[in-house]
């Protein structure tokens, strides 16, 4: 399995701690990885850490392919997420 495939499975499993850990590994290697940023942002969002999630959503919008950027952008429109 590729690291991206592994992160997707972890993200979809609902285990926010594992999603954050996997995303941290990917972001340590590629700091502007939009998929890793989106997964980390969604995990932080789920944990209620909205302020910490914001910058990762912004990274996904800035660097992501259209679909990834659109998902991240939708989260930034949620009240309380946009700075």
């Amino acid at each position: 399995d590729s690291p991206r495939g592994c992160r997707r499975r972890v993200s979809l499993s609902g285990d926010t701690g594992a999603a954050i850990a996997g995303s941290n590994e990917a972001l340590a290697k590629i700091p502007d990885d939009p998929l890793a940023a989106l997964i980390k942002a969604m995990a932080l969002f789920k944990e209620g850490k909205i302020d910490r999630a914001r910058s990762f959503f912004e990274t996904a919008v800035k660097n992501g392919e259209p679909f990834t950027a659109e998902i991240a952008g939708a989260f930034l429109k949620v009240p309380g997420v946009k700075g």
Side-chain angles (χ1 to χ4, degrees), residues 1-69:
D1 258 345
S2 72
R4 280 191 166 201
C6 182
R7 285 197 311 274
R8 283 188 199 114
R9 270 197 322 283
V10 168
S11 170
L12 295 174
S13 75
D15 183 344
T16 57
I20 291 169
S23 295
N24 284 340
E25 279 183 39
L27 291 166
K29 294 175 186 168
I30 305 171
D32 59 351
D33 181 327
L35 184 57
L38 177 60
I39 291 170
K40 182 169 183 173
M42 291 189 321
L44 290 168
F45 183 89
K46 184 175 181 181
E47 291 182 349
K49 299 173 182 170
I50 308 301
D51 288 338
R52 289 185 52 205
R54 184 179 302 112
S55 67
F56 295 102
F57 283 128
E58 290 169 349
T59 295
V61 167
K62 178 180 174 191
N63 300 317
E65 297 292 327
F67 184 72
T68 302

